[in-house]
């Protein structure tokens, strides 16, 4: 596989490009992947892995997030581009973990998805971020594009109001999609 990754943090991109991996080739690009070429406001959270252009939903804050409304460290403006604007080559594997904007990225990556074999995508089963599409929306889109769900890693969250012992509720997961065998057989590579 040839692996292409993106991160808006240029220092993280430099670290990832120097890190050894098992791919035939890999490159990481410093860019913010979104819907289109535009300036967006990006909220950097105190827990940086939760940072997003979308705020947490009120229900998520109420039922699952113990920190209340004080979770944003700072807000920055950053240029956003679609995958189709950033890449002009065949892609084997796409991995998305963009805190609520995965659907929009995939929706605007039709050219890239035409040559992609696998997509790993974070999916939410409840509204963690305002206005985000949920897992069933992504499953439907990927199915319509000819991808099949191969694996689903599930992450559970426990309501901050529940004090008993419980596995909790499925909040999000990582879905691995593979291009159907029927579509893969007919792929044309550049």
């Amino acid at each position: 596989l040839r692996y292409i990754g993106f991160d808006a943090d240029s220092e993280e991109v430099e670290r990832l490009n120097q890190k050894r991996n098992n791919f035939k080739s890999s490159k990481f690009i410093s860019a913010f992947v979104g819907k289109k070429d535009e300036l967006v406001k990006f909220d950097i959270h105190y827990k940086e892995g939760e940072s997003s252009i979308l705020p947490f939903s009120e229900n998520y804050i109420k039922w699952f997030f113990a920190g209340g409304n004080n979770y944003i460290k700072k807000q920055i403006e950053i240029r956003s581009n679609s995958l189709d604007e950033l890449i002009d080559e065949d892609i084997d594997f796409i991995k998305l973990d963009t805190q609520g904007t995965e659907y929009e990225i995939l929706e605007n990556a039709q050219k890239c998805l035409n040559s992609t074999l696998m997509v790993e995508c974070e999916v939410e089963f409840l509204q963690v971020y305002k206005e985000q599409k949920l897992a069933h929306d992504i499953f439907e889109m990927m199915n319509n594009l000819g991808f099949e769900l191969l694996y689903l890693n599930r992450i559970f969250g426990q309501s901050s109001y529940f004090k008993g012992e419980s596995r909790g509720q499925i909040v999000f997961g990582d879905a691995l999609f593979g291009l159907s065998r029927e579509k893969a057989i007919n792929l044309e590579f550049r």
Side-chain angles (χ1 to χ4, degrees):
L1 295 177
R2 295 178 315 153
Y3 191 97
I4 299 172
F6 296 91
D7 197 300
D9 182 347
S10 58
E11 290 177 16
E12 179 66 4
V13 167
E14 186 177 321
R15 184 189 73 77
L16 290 168
N17 277 324
Q18 294 175 5
K19 185 177 176 181
R20 292 192 63 186
N21 61 53
N22 294 324
F23 299 112
K24 179 178 180 180
S25 70
S26 67
K27 75 176 170 181
F28 295 87
I29 300 168
S30 181
F32 182 86
V33 181
K35 295 188 282 192
K36 59 184 179 181
D37 184 4
E38 65 181 340
L39 275 178
V40 295
K41 292 183 179 178
F42 185 75
D43 294 332
I44 298 174
H45 294 202
Y46 288 103
K47 274 184 84 175
E48 291 184 355
E50 297 173 345
S51 299
S52 178
I53 62 170
L54 302 174
F56 280 143
S57 74
E58 292 169 17
N59 281 339
Y60 179 73
I61 290 172
K62 178 180 180 181
W63 296 108
F64 291 94
F65 188 73
N69 286 316
N70 185 23
Y71 58 88
I72 298 173
K73 184 176 10 176
K74 66 180 177 178
Q75 187 177 76
I76 61 171
E77 269 197 356
I78 191 165
R79 176 135 317 269
S80 166
N81 284 290
S82 73
L83 273 177
D84 283 349
E85 292 168 331
L86 292 166
I87 298 177
D88 190 27
E89 59 187 281
D90 289 335
I91 300 170
D92 296 322
F93 188 92
I94 297 173
K95 179 178 178 5
L96 296 174
D97 183 353
T98 59
Q99 306 311 112
T101 60
E102 291 84 359
Y103 183 93
E104 289 77 10
I105 291 170
L106 290 168
E107 183 179 48
N108 293 284
Q110 298 305 306
K111 183 180 73 172
C112 289
L113 288 170
N114 284 335
S115 65
T116 300
L117 298 172
M118 299 181 92
V119 176
E120 183 180 325
C121 178
E122 184 174 90
V123 295
E124 275 80 21
F125 292 93
L126 61 88
Q127 202 87 41
V128 174
Y129 296 92
K130 285 184 184 176
E131 301 176 16
Q132 77 175 121
K133 298 284 189 172
L134 297 178
H136 64 272
D137 300 306
I138 292 174
F139 292 163
E140 180 179 6
M141 178 176 45
M142 294 303 285
N143 186 17
N144 290 339
L145 291 169
F147 287 85
E148 298 171 346
L149 181 64
L150 302 177
Y151 179 78
L152 179 62
N153 181 30
R154 302 162 332 272
I155 308 298
F156 294 82
Q158 189 165 324
S159 171
S160 53
Y161 289 97
F162 184 74
K163 302 302 177 202
E165 222 176 286
S166 162
R167 180 190 324 198
Q169 177 179 350
I170 297 174
V171 177
F172 68 96
D174 292 312
L176 178 63
F177 299 96
L179 190 62
S180 71
R181 290 166 181 84
E182 294 77 20
K183 285 202 70 161
I185 289 169
N186 295 313
L187 274 180
E188 293 182 22
F189 295 98
R190 291 185 260 168

